[in-house]
Amino acid sequence: LKMRYSNYFGALGGVIFRLRHFLRSIQKDHQALQKIISTNGFDLIISDNRYGIYNEGIHSILISHQLRIDAPFSGFLDLPMQNFIEKFDEIWIPDTEERIGSGLLSKPRFSTNVPIKFIGFLSRFSLKEKSQKEYRFTLIASGLEPFRTQLIDYFYDNFALLNTKSCIVGGGRIAKEKNFKHIDIFEMLDSAALEQVIDRSEYIICRAGYSSIMDLLIKQQQAVLIPTPHQPEQEYLAKLH
């Protein structure tokens, strides 16, 4: 299911307006999985936050940090989520038992009989010895349009005014339009190169997505978190951290 945030209603509006399509996509996931199972002998299913990837006859595990929705009318939205959660045999939460990363998002609003296990932060990075800082600020641009482009344009214009070296990851388009020697711009970086940039940065500026937050917690990196407008999960996580 393709999602595009609205300038006016954001992610929550997109979910409400497309709720029927969202539920249909879960059903399609479930049906597709049953076809795969019919030709393969699986004995374990691990679903990365996809509510339709389960089977009644096979031990099914849901990995998710969000077991409730922090938004207006969240009780109404939590009911169908709870229904899908109950179809799994286990829930693995990528967080500590103290819920340092996810806060209340990983605490179901309604009681559940599904066993919950905290598996710690999941990150492609690791904590390393402190390196010499090259960048004062590094913007890591991610997410869907139109907010991704708005973020890049805003910070590029402001980095241009600063008398300090900065970096933008994910901004290849503007590199062709403007050129400031004190701003390094990369379109895409693999994990190793991105980790080097993070290690050489005093501050990371990024969206408040949970994967990014886990990376920052693992790296013990100072950051400025900017939630995608009208996306309740990111707004909650940005305030939490």
Side-chain angles (χ1 to χ4, degrees):
L1 177 65
K2 290 185 177 180
M3 292 296 294
R4 182 179 174 88
Y5 302 154
S6 164
N7 273 313
Y8 301 101
F9 301 106
L12 178 60
V15 169
I16 292 175
F17 292 138
R18 303 203 66 190
L19 184 59
R20 180 173 64 88
H21 300 284
F22 177 66
L23 295 176
R24 177 59 179 161
S25 71
I26 293 176
Q27 183 181 19
K28 286 183 176 180
D29 277 352
H30 187 65
Q31 292 171 346
L33 178 63
Q34 307 322 304
K35 292 180 180 179
I36 296 173
I37 290 174
S38 66
T39 58
N40 295 274
F42 296 129
D43 52 21
L44 178 66
I45 296 171
I46 300 178
S47 169
D48 185 7
N49 207 34
R50 296 183 74 96
Y51 298 109
I53 305 300
Y54 68 91
N55 180 272
E56 292 81 357
I58 301 175
H59 194 81
S60 301
I61 299 170
L62 173 68
I63 298 180
S64 178
H65 70 281
Q66 187 169 13
L67 304 181
R68 72 159 70 187
I69 297 175
D70 184 69
F73 312 108
S74 56
F76 167 75
L77 296 173
D78 277 343
L79 285 173
M81 174 182 286
Q82 188 78 15
N83 180 60
F84 289 119
I85 288 173
E86 296 291 338
K87 297 181 184 301
F88 289 85
D89 298 296
E90 289 184 65
I91 300 171
W92 289 357
I93 299 177
D95 199 351
T96 66
E97 292 186 5
E98 297 78 17
R99 293 186 166 91
I100 292 174
S102 58
L104 290 177
L105 291 182
S106 62
K107 188 174 184 179
R109 191 177 301 275
F110 309 105
S111 61
T112 177
N113 294 321
V114 182
I116 293 177
K117 180 179 180 181
F118 293 88
I119 61 174
F121 300 130
L122 302 178
S123 176
R124 53 191 161 163
F125 303 139
S126 61
L127 182 61
K128 298 179 179 179
E129 293 184 8
K130 295 188 180 298
S131 58
Q132 184 175 356
K133 303 303 182 183
E134 179 180 358
Y135 303 114
R136 175 67 169 166
F137 299 106
T138 288
L139 170 68
I140 301 177
S142 62
L144 300 180
E145 299 295 353
F147 298 122
R148 179 178 176 275
T149 295
Q150 292 172 357
L151 192 72
I152 293 171
D153 289 343
Y154 175 84
F155 278 100
Y156 187 86
D157 291 341
N158 280 276
F159 286 170
L161 301 176
L162 299 177
N163 187 27
T164 184
K165 193 163 186 181
S166 303
C167 177
I168 296 177
V169 178
R173 174 186 61 81
I174 59 175
K176 301 176 182 178
E177 301 173 1
K178 306 173 185 178
N179 181 25
F180 290 94
K181 292 183 179 180
H182 66 289
I183 305 177
D184 287 345
I185 301 174
F186 303 99
E187 177 55 42
M188 295 292 292
L189 294 176
D190 61 26
S191 295
L194 179 58
E195 186 172 21
Q196 288 181 0
V197 169
I198 292 174
D199 287 337
R200 303 201 313 267
S201 303
E202 291 186 48
Y203 292 94
I204 298 297
I205 304 172
C206 64
R207 291 299 188 191
Y210 193 63
S211 294
S212 298
I213 288 174
M214 286 193 292
D215 288 340
L216 294 168
L217 288 171
I218 288 290
K219 300 295 291 182
Q220 298 182 12
Q221 171 66 48
Q222 296 186 99
V224 178
L225 299 176
I226 304 177
T228 299
H230 314 300
Q231 186 167 351
E233 176 199 0
Q234 290 198 15
E235 291 174 350
Y236 172 82
L237 290 172
K239 290 178 182 178
L240 176 67
H241 292 283

